[in-house]
Amino acid sequence: MKLEDYFKIKDKALTYFEKADIVLTEKEKRNLEVADFGLGKVEETGLQLITYVNTEKVCAKELVLLPGQTCPEHKHPKRSFDNGKEETFRCRYGKVYLYVEGEETKDRGANPPRGDEAYYTAFKEIVLHPGEQYTIYPNTLHWFQAGSEGSVVSEFSTTSTDEEDIFTDPRIKRIPSIE
Amino acid sequence: MKLEDYFKIKDKALTYFEKADIVLTEKEKRNLEVADFGLGKVEETGLQLITYVNTEKVCAKELVLLPGQTCPEHKHPKRSFDNGKEETFRCRYGKVYLYVEGEETKDRGANPPRGDEAYYTAFKEIVLHPGEQYTIYPNTLHWFQAGSEGSVVSEFSTTSTDEEDIFTDPRIKRIPSIE
């Protein structure tokens, strides 16, 4: 991501925190993270986030999704210290469409139409409006997308180790690099 | 607490969530907890709370303190499954004065003025304005009080087991009973 794009997206994200009436410190605003997932189309596939706290036990973040923006399919695998990150998403503003790997994951059907097994996972759709939430347990594939107004989402979780997330799309790099 | 007092305090608490622009579901509003700590003076010593999520790993709550209301001194001791609850308080609205047991706990001084050793604990004062936060680690005495406007505080923590909290005042009952 180019530095000028980072600042442009960051400024957009801050307007959504304002719409959601979420108060941030100046330091938090300065350190707002823009994840472009290395795909070079951040307004389509990307995520903006502020990490409030991330201790050895607990993490809390505030996420912004721009209108229609997608955080792509990934899971939080087993780590040296636990079975993987557990996270609860609580919608604060706008609407978020959450897709979570369902129980019926292994059933590919009699005639799978595509070559990549990962895409046969059965997902359930959960629509979160403000005040609604959903908990995703470790090692469960999920992705989410904002509605047309964008979305602000609080995330309550165990310790976050973003660099260990596993994305389905092998081109994705979770940790952003700024030119 | 009498049922009519419960409803009165609950309605007051809901006005603070509105002031903080925090969106709640109808079910969350109905289930809002009023803790009077069994002392019969809930507007002085009490706490109002909504538990968003409380899994085997993570808990998130939204707390309301009425103007000048105090959540009394307590700690979260070692449990069967961990070393005690860890919690981060993030102020969302108003001002909260937080008092946390300091390192110098054991130093009572040469001439302790009072008979009860618990009161010689050295506390540090932390004042939280909106957007500011503080993490309290397990087994650490703390208490907190709202400023004159009241306060709304997000709590991000490990699993909550309120019934295991240890209060310094032996008269306190953490789990409220409603007549």
Side-chain angles (χ1 to χ4, degrees):
Chain A
M1 192 171 13
K2 288 184 184 159
L3 189 60
E4 63 188 80
D5 293 333
Y6 166 73
F7 281 118
K8 192 184 95 180
I9 298 296
K10 180 172 136 164
D11 286 349
K12 278 198 188 183
L14 290 174
T15 67
Y16 289 88
F17 285 122
E18 279 170 29
K19 289 180 197 197
D21 286 309
I22 288 174
V23 183
L24 303 168
T25 63
E26 290 307 311
K27 189 179 172 192
E28 287 169 338
K29 291 180 193 173
R30 271 199 307 279
N31 293 340
L32 187 145
E33 183 185 353
V34 176
D36 71 346
F37 301 105
L39 298 180
K41 44 174 190 174
V42 59
E43 297 203 48
E44 282 173 54
T45 304
L47 182 68
Q48 297 66 231
L49 59 152
I50 288 175
T51 301
Y52 288 152
V53 61
N54 190 20
T55 73
E56 286 181 17
K57 298 280 188 183
V58 174
C59 180
K61 297 179 181 177
E62 212 81 77
L63 316 178
V64 165
L65 289 157
L66 303 175
Q69 195 184 32
T70 298
C71 176
E73 188 181 305
H74 66 286
K75 61 182 175 180
H76 306 291
K78 189 171 163 57
R79 302 178 281 196
S80 60
F81 56 93
D82 69 3
N83 284 325
K85 185 185 177 212
E86 173 202 297
E87 56 194 18
T88 296
F89 291 129
R90 182 179 177 91
C91 181
R92 300 288 195 170
Y93 170 85
K95 200 190 291 188
V96 63
Y97 297 86
L98 177 60
Y99 299 88
V100 180
E101 185 180 11
E103 291 301 312
E104 58 277 72
T105 307
K106 304 302 173 207
D107 181 9
R108 294 175 48 179
N111 195 14
R114 292 178 63 176
D116 186 342
E117 186 158 359
Y119 287 96
Y120 300 116
T121 304
F123 281 74
K124 51 185 166 182
E125 181 188 74
I126 300 112
V127 185
L128 298 179
H129 303 89
E132 296 175 345
Q133 61 184 35
Y134 192 82
T135 300
I136 296 163
Y137 291 96
N139 214 28
T140 304
L141 281 170
H142 59 285
W143 59 281
F144 47 99
Q145 185 175 54
S148 58
E149 296 168 74
S151 187
V152 178
V153 176
S154 295
E155 181 187 308
F156 315 124
S157 76
T158 52
T159 306
S160 190
T161 54
D162 294 335
E163 67 285 4
E164 295 188 57
D165 294 352
I166 296 177
F167 286 83
T168 304
D169 183 339
R171 299 170 302 160
I172 286 178
K173 293 187 185 71
R174 170 61 185 87
I175 306 303
S177 69
I178 294 182
E179 291 163 29
Chain B
M1 191 172 13
K2 289 184 183 159
L3 188 59
E4 64 189 80
D5 291 334
Y6 166 73
F7 282 117
K8 192 184 94 181
I9 299 296
K10 181 172 134 163
D11 286 348
K12 277 197 188 184
L14 289 173
T15 67
Y16 289 88
F17 285 122
E18 280 171 27
K19 288 181 199 200
D21 287 309
I22 288 175
V23 184
L24 303 169
T25 64
E26 290 307 312
K27 187 178 173 194
E28 287 169 337
K29 291 179 193 172
R30 273 200 306 279
N31 293 340
L32 187 145
E33 182 185 353
V34 176
D36 71 346
F37 300 104
L39 297 179
K41 44 173 192 175
V42 60
E43 296 203 49
E44 283 173 54
T45 305
L47 182 68
Q48 297 66 230
L49 58 153
I50 288 175
T51 300
Y52 287 151
V53 60
N54 190 20
T55 73
E56 286 182 19
K57 297 281 188 184
V58 173
C59 180
K61 297 178 181 177
E62 212 81 76
L63 317 178
V64 165
L65 290 156
L66 304 175
Q69 195 183 34
T70 297
C71 176
E73 187 181 305
H74 66 285
K75 60 182 177 180
H76 306 292
K78 187 171 164 57
R79 301 178 282 194
S80 60
F81 55 93
D82 70 3
N83 284 326
K85 185 187 179 210
E86 173 201 296
E87 57 194 18
T88 296
F89 292 127
R90 182 179 177 90
C91 182
R92 300 287 195 170
Y93 170 84
K95 201 190 291 187
V96 64
Y97 297 86
L98 176 61
Y99 299 88
V100 180
E101 186 180 10
E103 290 301 311
E104 59 276 71
T105 307
K106 304 302 173 207
D107 181 9
R108 295 175 47 180
N111 195 15
R114 291 178 65 175
D116 186 342
E117 188 159 358
Y119 288 96
Y120 299 116
T121 305
F123 280 74
K124 50 185 168 184
E125 182 188 74
I126 300 111
V127 185
L128 298 178
H129 303 89
E132 296 175 343
Q133 62 184 35
Y134 193 83
T135 300
I136 296 162
Y137 291 95
N139 214 29
T140 304
L141 281 171
H142 59 284
W143 60 281
F144 47 99
Q145 186 176 54
S148 57
E149 296 168 72
S151 188
V152 177
V153 176
S154 294
E155 183 187 307
F156 314 125
S157 75
T158 53
T159 307
S160 190
T161 53
D162 294 335
E163 67 285 2
E164 295 188 57
D165 293 352
I166 295 177
F167 285 84
T168 303
D169 183 340
R171 297 169 304 160
I172 286 177
K173 293 186 185 71
R174 170 61 185 88
I175 306 303
S177 69
I178 293 182
E179 291 163 28

